[in-house]
Every structure is written in structure tokens, then in C-alpha cells.
């Protein structure tokens, strides 16, 4: 049994090798524990699901009351002509399931509206609900149910050559945001005791050449910083001129040979190169500060998600033991040094990080105990990961659909400022709202049959105008867009569905793994111009 | 069937069903692309791929399942698509696109060619074939979350080779054999070692085996022995017992691949021998030999939790892994019978174990921090992460470009870059207008010419053919004629005609400073005039230089400022996949530059952020026309992925 488990693990490692390199085994574990609900197995829907089944989500459930039509088979790879007349959820589940035996596929042959009527709690069980090609009324109803239940909702729509996504999540927390070019956390401006002692254990002046040129650059910078302090009132080099002078100071420390020419000491070169970033003052980044000051961090209850409990623990640390600083991250970059010196230095940082995390653990433990939760409800490992990423924490809060639609709260500024340029992707959003209005009035989308296109243009124009009027939007929508949207006839071309399927699945993975930062909150894609934009609506 | 009825004009819809297209590659992008094509209404599709299906493909190449592992990608892709869309007319070739059967005539059968490749050699070749046949080409690639699509049309746009691409980093032999300073050097050494031990000379890497020597290099100019040292060296050798400086492979065979003997030779005796070259260690930290018996005494701490692959073992752990992998490989070799050979493949566990162990032991000897199997695999296999979502997005974009081409809307075609997340200007996609051909391109101009600096007394004809014409200039079967008034044939692509010339120096044929060579590749329908500049002052380990093509130096004045970073695959300038399974990787190509995974985690980012690209999107008249391309590299710490995109 043990043996098969191991084999299974190895084969998974092999199968998922290329993606583990992006989100790690804990990201993969998050995926494997997720249960995603897809509403409507249209081309866009099955494309999204395909891209979630392949990397191995735990389970999916398709909700779809439609029967497979000939049109479906024409643009959907996961429906075949033999499935015409069958329930679409069932037919798509069968074929999607084939893609990956690790995934559990389920289906419900029911329309979302029926489920909302009879059993709205049905949707509470999912990690994420993805609604595809939903009529506006269904979308708003479901949006409100999921908002109240705290279930993330991703709305996706392919409309002719336009792709649309809207993410609705009250609060999405990210521990591993994978920032670009993050600064190292070296504390050279405020060395902790153990680091101070370690720096003191070096005496560059009495070193043999070999040792001298194999001393890690962090030590070199620290040593010359001491020298600098003694000559500059204990002030860090701040501006360019001072930093340049500091570099020169280091440069002068390079050993010279018998002829007086400097030796080739790469560690000193590295030190000089890293002066700028190494001397960055240690402080709590504003995004993390905002998290500490958030109401959720202030008022921890027994219901608080572990993210906030840990955030509170780190905040306690910063305000007490940390003296205003975050827990030490505990990693240092690769550098020129011999193994022994490097590992010793690495251990100084690592040990301090472990110590700091242990203190945070104590705070977290106390917090948990204060409302009667067992301390192990948040693992040591989670706390370590949290501490390590404390400088990169993110919280994404999307506005609800209700806020987007309400006359009082809709984002008028964003819409009008974008519409200053008539070809902004914002016009596509207004057009999608207008075709929804058309649907409300006519129970069909404009231009579905060729003969309707001409007469529908005027009808759609009326919808556009009434939308703008209702929201008192003083903007101009070009006729070209109205014609174009009529011409689309609400078609769902496969290529656009494929594009959106990739993009939406990507966001879904971010939501599920809590890694990387998802978009907030509306994404529009124009396949004609191959352009895209995100808006906050 | 409601294929795009609304959005597509009828004429376009008709031309989709009548036209014939070629898809080169049935991997990550290829699978998605085939699906998109049939569902967009394309009826006549040919697909070619020489690869077979591997387990690590299954997380994204959705036309394949576990039961298909080991089968032809092209064939299975075709069958899977037909299951879903029986009406499509698909022809599959399990073959290399560089095979001479696929000549210019073959390419002329198509209205459009779409690349879904993973290596630069094949990309270069298809580029030339499409130029020769005057068929539009859509080029594409992905790497992790990043992706790119562009359109190439003879005479109207830049071709794939209009902008010089950084060449793959190579390492001087001495660094690999004597003085490694980075983990990657040890990994390259371990891969050479694998081939050295496991192949018949000449089987896998031809006569170039000599380039992959792993034992200490006594000719290292840096070592520069005095005659007096030679005596010491001889003594050292004697003290080591009866080890003569024979090839590692011969020696290994003679011991029957005894893991312990092999270990002591590689990590003790060879290292002690290196130590006798004391000049090398004046400025460097000297290596520390390892002894098998001593290592067995060390008590080692247990590893943490998490995936096994991501642990860094201790020296004892790697010594044990070394022994086990040698034993496994030995029995595999015996199973295969006399004269058999093994081919290195990063996805073959014992081969990967061997390289992990040997590389780490060497890192230990040279006082470097050891790496986990996971990280070694990244570097050894040049692994680029690959996921379903990015490929899906890119394949979607390809078909939209295809529609514009078939609609003859070339001016609407774009190069499109896909970002990891919306950029500061809130764009996930960045479309750029296509550039005009580079008038100095050595491929797509009407009379292409290049100038090559080399030492005519030291360069042999074989090197001209393999390293310059094939590897550097991407030819498949070059013919070379000297413009000396007599039309001397230096190299003929006909087998056997000029083999006798191979080991002669260029100067033996009267080639000197100012000589001109006319090089033809009949398959590619490509003629290149090579001007030779003789130079005695090339840098160490540099065999030749293309004038005006030194990526490290300032760009040639003619080069436009933006980068066209159509990516190249991780196989880069290496041989096409046909020749070595070893260099192989899955899909795709990378986006900016030389794909050499760098050893220190993310040093790539700041460097790549210097790259500039003109942004010429019509609807974004932003003055900031330069943007970072790979600014999304995760600058994570050392326990994350080491896949650097630079």
C-alpha cells in the first residue's frame, strides 16, 4: 500500500513536473483539494474546464440544463454529434473526465435558475463557481447568493469577437504573490544581534588572500558600513553621491599584489554592485501595513480565516519583539563565497527567521487559544510560509455585481474617463450591457439570424441610449460598435472561446492556489485588434 | 454547423474550408492549435512532429493520454482530433520537418504554415522554407505564463532571422573539466560524463566526442606547466596507483562500471591530479577530494518534508544515489546487450539520478552549494515551465492571425505578447505592428552576405561546415564553392564527394583574408556569400566571430531598437531534435533570449529588463514606448524554481 502511494506520487510528480515549477507542491495540493463548479458547458465553458482538468483540480461539477444542439457540436471540442439531444452537462463531463483520471467529474442536469429557486445553498460547497454565457438576470441572482456565502465567482462570456471576464470575490488573500524583483531582506541597516556577532567574527584585515576573496559580499558591505558609520555620524549612505563614495571605500579594500595593482576579488565586485539594494532601509511595506490596519486584522474572531489570524500574529510581533520590523525572511541570494562561509551566513539568517517565526507562532497560538481553538489548527509550516512572505502579502477585494449595477455606486468615473477615447475597451463593456438590455426587451440577442441584422441595429441603438441615459453617462458610443455587435449575433466562435478558456483558467488557478495576484475586477478582450484591458467596475 | 457564421464573411468561411495548412509541431501549442483549426472551420490540415509522447506532456497536451505514452505525437494528435471532428481531413507525419522530403515544393502545397515548435534550429529552417516558397508563416511560443505570436511574410515583414538572437551560452572546456565555478558547470560535466560512460565513441555525438571530455585537461593554457611540474605530476599519478590518463569510458568499462571505483576515480584521484596543476589554485579555492570509505562514516541529518525531489541531500546521500544509479544504468546496459548505448534523457529517472548525484558530488568537491534533484533537472534539461492555460491563449491568438492572413489583411496582423498579469497599463496582451524586413538580414534579403572572422590556419573544413554553416547559419546540407576564379568545391552535400577535405585547414585550399565563399543550401533554396576575415587574435575558446553580430557588444547601427524576441526553444542553436534526444525539451520557446537557465536563481531579471521593445499598438499612444519584457520573473528565493528566462 505504501509502495503504491509512493509510485502514485512519483508519477504525479512526473506528470505535473512542468507546472510544479511554477506553483510548487503546495500550490498543486491546493488545486487537488479544489472543487470547481462550471455553469454551462458551452465552448467557452469546456475550454476553461479543460485547462483546469489537465493540471489536476480535485473535482468539477457542471451545471447545465441545456440539451446538446448541432450548433454546440460545431464550436465545442468536447461535444460530438453522437451527443446531440443529450444533456450538455452529462455529455461534456464524460469527455472532459477522459483528460485526467486524477480528477473527479460530476454533473447536474438542471438550469442554474432552477437550482437558485430550489436549493441556493447548493452553490456554497464550491471553491469557485464559474458562470459562462449567463443571462444578466441569472448572473445577478447567483452573484448575490455567492457574495453572501463568500464563494468566489468568475463570470465569463464570449460574444462574437469579444471576450469578457468579471471576478467577484469579497476578499481574496494571497500569501505568495510572487513579486517581481523583490528586494532581499538583509537588515544591514539594522543588524540583529546574531548577525552583528557573526559580522564581528570576521576580520578582513588579518585574512589570507584566499579567505579574503571568499568572504560573502554581505559581510564585506557590513564591514565597510561600520567604517562608514564611524566617519559619518552613524548615518547610512543615502544619496547617489554618498553611495558612490561608499562604493569607493569598498573598492579601496580590495587586496593588491606586490606591484600595487588590485587583485581580482569577485566578492568585492559583487559587494560594490549590490550597494544600492543592500542599503535599502528595512521597513514594513505599505501593503502589509494596510493589512495590519484592516478591520479584519483588528477584530479576530473564532470565524476569522487563518490568513488574518496569522496577520494579527505578525502584527503583534512587529509591535513588540520585532521593534517595528517584520520577521526576518531568512534567505540570502547566491553569492561568491566558499561553502563554509556561505552556509554559516545562511544559517545566521535562517536561524533568526526560525526564531522570529517561533515568536509569531506563540502569538498565533495565544490568539487561537483565546477563543478556544486548538493551536494546531494553523500549522507551523503555514506560519513559516506566512512570515517568509510577510512583505509580499496581498488582499484583493472586488466590488459586488450589485455595486456595479446600482445607480448610486456604479463606477461612473472609471467609465467616463476611459470613454474619453472612443475606442477604449470600455466601449465593449457598454455594448455588452446594451445587448443584455436588448435581451431583456426582446428575449433574444440582436442579429442572431442574418435577416435580423439591419432592423436590430436601430433597436440596439435604442438600448445603448437608454442605458447611457439611465446612468446619466455623457459618453459617445460609435455606431460602428453597434453594427459590429449586431453582426456578432451572440455567436461563440471557438477561437475566442479558446483564448478566454486559457485566460479564465489561469485566473481560476490563481484564486484556487492563492498564489499570484488575480485581476480586479473586469477584463475585456477584443479579438479584432488583439487588445485587452482591465477595469475596476 | 455554426462556425463563426456571424463574425466571418462568407468568402472567408469558404476559404477556410478549401485551404490547406501545415502545423509544424504537435506539442503544447500544436494540440491546442489543431483543435482550434478544425473548430474554426479549417478542413485540410497536415501536421508533422518527430517526437513521441512523454508523461510530462500530459499536464497540457490534451490530445494525449497515459495510454499514448511512447507513441507518435503527430499520429495520436490526428486520431484524437478525428474522434471529435470526424469530418476533418488530417494528414500526420511522424518525422522531422528538416528531412529533405519536405522541400520547397512540399511547402508550396499550403496557403499558410503555423509553427508550434520548441527549438531554434527547426524554426530557422521553416522560416527559410516559407521564404523560399513564399508562404506566410505564423510563429509562436510560450514559456510559463509568457507567450508570443507573430506573422512572417516574405518581403513585407521581418523574418524569424532578421534580428540576431543571443546564442546559447557555451562553456569553455577548461572550465568544465578543471575549474568549475558555478553549479551549471558541474551539471554540464555530469551530462558529458553520462555520455562518456554510456555510449560508443562516435555513436551519439560523432567525432565531436572529444569536446565532451570530462577528465582533467592538461592542455589548459592557464595551467601552463613547467617541465619541473611534470615530474611531480608523474609521481602523483604513480601514487594514485596504476591510473593512466586513458579515457574515462575505457577505464570505466575495464572496471565493469564498479560504482565505488568509479567514484574514487572521479571524485578523488582525478581531483588529486587536478591539484597537481597548482597554478590553477593560486587564486581559486582548491578542490577537496572525496573518499568513498570516509564518506560512509559521516552521519547525516534527515531531510525535511515536502516533495522528495526538492530536498538537497548531503554528500553521503549523493554518494549513495551515485552508486545506485550507476548500478541501475549498468544493468540496463547489460540488458540491452553488447555494444548497446543509453541516451541521456532528463525524464528517465536513473539517468537523471546519475547526473544529479555526479553533479552534486562535484559541486561539493569545488565548494559550491549543492542543489536538489528538482533544480538540477531544470538546469540539465533546460526545462522551461509549461502550462495548459498559456498554450490555450496563444493558440487562440494564432488562429485569429490566420484568419487575417487568409483575408489578405496583412496590415492588420500583429506581433502579440502575452504578459503574466495585466501590466501597469492594465494590458494583458501587448500587440505591436509588424516590422519591415531588416535590409541587412543574412536570410531574407535578395543577396545575403555575411563576414566571418576566423583563423584560416586553425579552422578545419569540418568546423566550417558544422559549427559555422550548420549551427550558426542554420543550414541543413550546405555546398561550398570558393570564389577563387576556379570554382573549387570545398564542401559538397553529396555524400562522399568532399569527405577528404574535412580535416584540412581552410588555408590548405588557399582561403585567406578577403576570400569569398559561396554557400548554397539546395533544400532551403538559400544562397549565402561568406566573406572571410583572417584573424589571429580571437579570444580564447572562440573559433569564429560573425562581424556585426556580437550580441555582447553595441548593436549594429542598422539594427532597429526594438527586440523581436520570438523566441527560441530551449534547444537553441543546438542540433535539431532529430540528432539528440538529450537536448530535448517540450514545447516551446522562449521568449527573450538565451534560455540558458542561470545557476543563481533569478539573476536573469534585472538583465532582461534592459531589453527594450517598441510598442506600436495603435490604440495606445503612450509616450512610454519601451517596456520591460520579462519583468514578471518571479524573484523568489532559492527554494523555488530556477528557471530563468534569460
Amino acid at each position: 500500500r505504501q509502495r503504491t502511494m509512493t509510485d502514485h506520487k512519483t508519477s504525479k510528480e512526473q506528470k505535473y513536473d512542468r507546472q510544479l515549477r511554477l506553483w510548487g507542491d503546495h500550490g498543486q495540493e491546493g488545486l487537488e483539494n479544489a472543487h470547481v463548479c462550471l455553469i454551462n458547458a458551452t465552448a467557452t465553458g469546456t475550454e476553461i474546464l479543460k485547462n483546469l482538468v489537465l493540471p489536476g483540480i480535485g473535482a468539477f461539477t457542471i451545471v447545465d440544463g441545456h440539451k446538446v444542439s448541432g450548433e454546440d457540436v460545431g464550436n465545442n471540442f468536447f461535444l460530438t454529434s453522437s451527443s446531440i439531444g443529450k444533456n450538455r452537462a452529462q455529455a461534456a463531463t464524460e469527455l472532459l473526465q477522459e483528460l485526467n483520471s486524477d480528477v473527479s467529474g460530476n454533473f447536474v442536469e438542471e438550469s442554474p435558475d432552477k437550482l437558485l429557486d430550489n436549493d441556493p445553498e447548493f452553490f456554497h460547497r464550491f471553491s469557485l463557481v464559474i458562470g459562462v454565457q449567463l443571462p444578466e438576470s441569472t448572473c445577478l441572482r447567483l452573484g448575490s447568493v455567492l457574495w453572501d456565502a463568500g464563494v468566489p465567482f468568475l463570470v465569463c462570456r464570449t460574444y462574437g469577437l469579444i471576450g469578457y471576464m468579471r471576478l467577484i470575490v469579497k476578499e481574496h488573500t494571497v500569501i505568495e504573490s510572487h513579486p517581481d524583483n523583490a528586494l532581499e531582506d538583509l537588515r544591514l541597516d539594522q543588524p540583529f544581534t546574531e548577525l552583528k556577532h557573526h559580522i564581528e567574527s570576521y576580520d578582513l584585515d588579518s585574512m589570507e588572500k584566499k579567505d579574503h576573496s571568499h568572504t560573502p559580499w554581505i559581510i564585506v558591505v557590513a564591514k565597510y558600513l561600520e567604517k562608514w558609520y564611524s566617519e559619518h555620524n552613524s548615518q547610512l549612505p543615502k544619496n547617489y553621491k554618498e553611495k558612490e563614495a561608499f562604493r569607493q571605500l569598498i573598492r579601496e579594500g580590495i587586496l593588491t599584489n606586490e606591484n600595487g595593482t588590485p587583485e581580482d576579488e569577485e566578492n568585492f565586485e559583487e559587494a560594490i554592485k549590490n550597494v544600492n539594494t543592500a542599503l535599502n532601509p528595512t521597513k514594513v511595506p505599505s501593503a502589509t501595513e494596510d493589512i495590519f490596519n484592516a478591520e479584519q486584522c483588528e477584530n479576530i474572531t473564532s470565524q476569522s480565516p487563518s490568513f488574518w489570524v496569522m496577520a494579527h500574529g505578525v502584527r503583534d510581533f512587529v509591535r513588540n519583539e520585532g521593534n517595528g520590523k517584520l520577521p526576518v525572511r531568512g534567505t540570502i541570494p547566491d553569492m561568491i563565497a566558499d561553502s563554509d562561509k556561505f552556509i554559516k551566513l545562511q544559517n545566521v539568517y535562517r536561524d533568526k527567521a526560525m526564531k522570529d517565526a517561533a515568536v509569531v507562532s506563540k502569538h498565533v497560538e495565544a490568539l487561537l487559544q483565546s477563543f478556544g481553538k486548538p493551536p494546531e489548527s494553523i500549522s507551523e509550516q503555514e506560519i513559516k510560509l506566512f512570515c517568509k512572505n510577510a512583505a509580499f502579502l496581498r488582499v484583493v477585494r472586488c466590488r459586488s455585481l450589485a455595486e456595479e449595477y446600482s445607480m448610486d455606486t456604479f463606477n461612473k468615473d472609471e467609465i467616463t474617463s476611459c470613454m474619453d477615447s472612443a475606442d477604449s475597451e470600455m466601449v465593449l463593456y457598454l455594448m455588452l450591457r446594451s445587448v443584455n438590455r436588448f435581451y431583456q426587451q426582446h428575449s433574444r440577442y440582436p442579429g442572431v439570424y442574418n435577416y435580423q441584422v439591419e432592423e436590430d441595429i436601430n433597436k440596439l441603438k435604442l438600448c445603448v441610449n437608454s442605458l447611457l441615459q439611465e446612468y446619466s453617462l455623457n459618453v459617445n458610443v460609435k455606431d460602428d460598435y453597434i453594427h459590429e455587435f449586431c453582426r456578432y449575433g451572440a455567436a461563440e466562435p471557438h477561437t475566442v472561446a479558446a483564448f478566454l478558456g486559457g485566460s479564465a483558467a489561469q485566473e481560476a488557478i490563481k484564486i484556487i492556489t492563492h498564489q499570484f495576484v488575480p485581476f480586479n475586477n473586469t477584463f475585456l478582450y477584443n479579438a479584432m485588434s488583439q487588445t485587452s484591458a482591465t477595469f475596476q467596475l | 454547423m455554426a462556425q463563426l457564421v456571424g463574425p466571418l464573411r462568407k468568402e472567408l468561411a469558404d476559404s477556410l474550408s478549401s485551404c490547406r495548412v501545415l502545423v509544424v509541431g504537435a506539442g503544447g501549442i500544436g494540440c491546442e492549435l489543431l483543435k482550434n483549426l478544425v473548430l474554426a472551420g479549417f478542413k485540410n490540415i497536415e501536421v508533422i512532429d518527430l517526437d513521441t509522447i512523454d508523461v510530462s506532456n500530459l499536464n497540457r497536451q490534451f490530445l494525449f493520454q497515459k495510454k499514448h505514452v511512447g507513441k507518435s505525437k503527430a499520429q495520436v494528435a490526428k486520431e484524437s482530433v478525428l474522434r471529435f471532428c470526424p469530418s476533418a481531413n488530417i494528414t500526420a507525419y511522424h518525422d522531422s520537418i528538416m528531412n529533405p522530403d519536405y522541400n520547397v515544393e512540399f511547402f508550396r502545397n499550403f496557403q499558410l504554415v503555423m509553427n508550434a515548435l520548441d527549438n531554434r534550429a527547426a524554426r530557422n529552417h521553416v522560416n527559410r522554407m516559407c521564404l523560399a516558397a513564399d508562404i506566410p508563416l505564423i510563429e509562436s511560443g510560450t514559456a510559463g505564463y509568457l507567450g508570443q505570436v507573430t506573422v512572417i511574410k516574405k518581403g513585407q515583414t521581418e523574418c524569424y532571422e532578421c534580428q540576431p538572437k543571443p546564442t546559447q551560452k557555451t562553456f569553455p572546456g577548461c572550465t568544465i573539466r578543471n575549474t568549475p565555478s558555478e553549479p551549471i558547470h558541474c551539471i554540464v560535466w555530469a551530462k558529458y560524463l553520462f555520455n562518456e560512460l554510456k555510449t560508443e565513441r562516435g555513436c551519439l555525438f560523432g567525432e565531436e566526442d572529444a569536446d565532451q571530455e570530462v577528465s582533467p585537461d592538461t592542455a589548459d593554457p592557464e595551467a601552463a606547466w613547467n617541465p619541473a611540474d611534470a615530474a611531480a605530476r608523474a609521481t602523483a599519478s604513480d601514487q594514485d596507483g596504476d591510473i593512466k590518463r586513458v579515457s574515462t569510458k575505457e577505464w570505466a568499462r575495464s572496471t565493469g562500471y564498479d560504482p565505488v571505483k568509479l567514484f574514487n576515480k572521479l571524485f578523488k584521484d582525478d581531483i588529486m591530479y587536478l591539484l597537481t596543476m597548482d597554478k590553477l589554485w593560486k587564486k581559486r579555492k582548491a578542490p577537496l577530494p572525496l573518499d568513498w570509505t570516509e564518506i560512509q562514516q559521516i552521519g547525516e541529518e534527515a531531510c525535511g518534508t515536502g516533495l522528495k525531489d526538492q530536498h538537497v541531500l548531503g554528500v553521503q546521500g549523493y554518494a549513495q544515489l551515485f552508486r545506485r544509479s550507476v548500478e541501475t544504468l549498468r544493468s540496463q546496459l547489460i540488458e540491452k546487450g553488447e555494444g548497446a548505448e543509453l541516451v541521456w534523457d532528463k525524464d528517465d529517472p536513473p539517468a537523471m539520478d546519475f547526473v544529479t548525484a555526479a553533479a552534486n558530488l562535484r559541486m561539493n568537491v569545488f565548494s559550491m552549494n549543492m542543489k536538489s534533484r528538482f533544480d538540477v533537472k531544470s538546469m540539465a534539461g533546460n526545462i522551461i515551465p509549461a502550462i495548459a492555460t498559456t498554450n490555450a491563449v496563444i493558440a487562440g491568438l494564432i488562429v485569429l492571425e490566420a484568419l487575417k492572413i487568409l483575408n489578405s489583411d496583412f496590415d492588420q496582423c500583429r506581433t502579440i505578447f502575452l504578459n503574466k498579469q495585466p501590466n501597469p497599463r492594465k494590458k494583458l496582451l501587448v500587440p505591436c505592428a509588424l516590422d519591415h524586413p531588416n535590409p541587412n538580414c543574412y536570410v531574407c534579403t535578395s543577396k545575403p552576405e555575411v563576414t566571418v572572422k576566423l583563423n584560416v590556419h586553425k579552422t578545419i573544413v569540418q568546423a566550417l561546415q558544422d559549427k559555422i554553416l550548420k549551427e550558426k547559419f542554420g543550414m541543413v546540407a550546405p555546398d561550398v564553392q570558393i570564389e577563387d576564379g576556379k570554382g573549387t568545391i570545398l564542401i559538397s552535400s553529396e555524400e562522399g564527394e568532399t569527405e577528404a577535405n574535412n580535416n584540412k585547414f581552410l588555408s590548405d585550399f588557399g582561403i585567406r583574408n578577403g576570400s569569398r565563399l559561396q554557400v548554397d543550401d539546395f533544400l532551403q533554396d538559400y544562397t549565402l556569400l561568406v566573406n572571410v576575415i583572417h584573424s589571429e587574435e580571437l579570444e580564447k575558446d572562440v573559433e569564429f566571430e560573425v562581424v556585426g553580430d556580437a550580441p555582447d557588444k553595441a548593436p549594429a547601427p542598422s539594427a532597429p531598437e526594438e527586440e523581436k524576441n520570438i523566441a527560441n526553444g530551449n534547444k537553441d542553436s543546438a542540433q535539431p531534435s532529430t540528432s539528440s534526444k538529450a537536448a530535448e525539451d517540450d514545447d516551446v520557446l522562449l521568449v527573450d533570449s538565451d534560455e540558458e537557465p542561470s545557476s543563481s536563481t533569478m539573476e536573469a531579471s534585472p538583465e532582461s529588463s534592459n531589453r527594450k521593445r517598441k510598442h506600436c499598438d495603435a490604440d495606445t499612444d503612450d509616450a512610454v514606448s519601451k517596456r520591460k519584457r520579462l519583468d514578471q520573473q518571479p524573484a523568489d528565493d532559492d527554494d523555488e524554481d530556477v528557471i530563468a528566462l534569460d
Side-chain angles (χ1 to χ4, degrees), chain A residues 199-200 202-204 219-227:
Chain A
I199 295 167
E200 279 161 19
Y202 278 86
D203 180 5
L204 292 178
I219 302 286
V220 174
V221 170
K223 283 290 182 190
Y224 284 90
L225 199 54
E226 284 171 11
K227 205 172 248 178

Side-chain angles (χ1 to χ4, degrees), chain A residues 165-436:
Chain A
M165 283 196 285
R166 169 73 154 92
L167 177 64
I168 305 117
V169 55
K170 218 185 250 175
E171 174 187 291
H172 175 73
T173 54
V174 183
I175 298 175
E176 294 166 89
S177 59
H178 297 275
D180 304 328
N181 311 326
L183 287 173
E184 302 287 345
D185 181 24
L186 302 176
R187 309 284 166 112
L188 290 177
D189 58 329
Q190 306 179 40
F192 45 91
T193 318
E194 298 85 342
L195 179 59
K196 256 188 214 152
H197 289 159
H198 185 71
I199 295 167
E200 279 161 19
S201 73
Y202 278 86
D203 180 5
L204 292 178
D205 298 330
S206 67
M207 271 181 167
E208 299 246 350
K209 194 173 81 193
K210 205 176 276 175
D211 271 338
H212 194 264
S213 57
H214 285 91
T215 299
W217 70 258
I218 291 178
I219 302 286
V220 174
V221 170
K223 283 290 182 190
Y224 284 90
L225 199 54
E226 284 171 11
K227 205 172 248 178
W228 174 272
Y229 280 152
S230 69
E231 295 161 10
H232 293 84
N233 239 340
S234 300
Q235 294 292 307
L236 278 180
K238 288 196 181 67
N239 50 36
Y240 176 79
K241 208 178 135 197
E242 287 179 1
K243 283 180 181 164
E244 200 46 50
F246 182 61
R247 285 192 191 98
Q248 187 53 33
L249 189 67
I250 299 177
R251 206 169 280 129
E252 284 160 10
I254 297 178
L255 295 181
T256 50
N257 66 11
E258 54 271 23
N259 305 325
T261 44
E263 296 277 358
D264 199 10
E265 293 200 291
E266 290 176 282
N267 55 335
F268 272 69
E269 297 300 330
E270 269 189 351
I272 292 165
K273 209 174 69 193
N274 282 296
V275 159
N276 218 5
T277 49
L279 298 184
N280 231 47
T282 305
K283 58 172 187 248
V284 179
S286 61
T288 306
E289 197 67 69
D290 290 348
I291 288 171
F292 290 162
N293 295 329
E295 193 241 317
Q296 292 91 326
C297 188
E298 200 71 53
N299 307 315
I300 300 291
T301 68
S302 59
Q303 301 304 307
S304 292
S306 56
F307 178 91
W308 291 109
V309 178
M310 290 191 283
H312 192 98
V314 172
R315 191 185 76 168
D316 285 348
F317 173 90
V318 173
R319 294 185 179 172
N320 297 291
E321 299 86 347
N323 290 319
K325 289 171 301 246
L326 291 173
V328 167
R329 201 178 305 155
T331 52
I332 56 174
D334 240 347
M335 63 191 71
I336 288 163
D338 58 60
S339 283
D340 190 47
K341 294 193 183 72
F342 180 81
I343 289 168
K344 276 194 185 130
L345 180 64
Q346 196 178 36
N347 285 342
V348 168
Y349 282 97
R350 211 176 54 186
D351 293 349
K352 174 66 174 158
M354 303 234 286
K355 251 191 212 166
D356 286 355
V359 176
V360 172
S361 274
K362 286 274 174 260
H363 287 298
V364 170
E365 210 170 285
L367 208 53
L368 288 169
Q369 265 163 351
S370 73
F371 34 76
K373 271 196 167 177
E376 58 277 10
S377 55
I378 298 179
S379 76
E380 205 69 17
Q381 218 164 344
E382 279 175 89
I383 295 174
K384 276 189 194 153
L385 185 72
F386 194 90
C387 289
K388 197 170 151 187
N389 285 284
F392 314 125
L393 304 173
R394 292 286 180 276
V395 175
V396 177
R397 295 192 179 88
C398 298
R399 281 157 49 90
S400 68
L401 284 178
E403 288 172 286
E404 178 186 334
Y405 274 71
S406 154
M407 298 300 171
D408 304 323
T409 52
F410 80 99
N411 196 345
K412 191 171 182 178
D413 288 349
E414 177 98 337
I415 297 173
T416 40
S417 69
C418 289
M419 286 303 291
D420 280 349
S421 102
D423 292 316
S424 157
E425 284 81 4
M426 184 62 83
V427 72
L428 308 176
Y429 168 73
L430 295 175
M431 286 310 306
L432 286 173
R433 291 287 298 270
S434 303
V435 296
N436 285 343

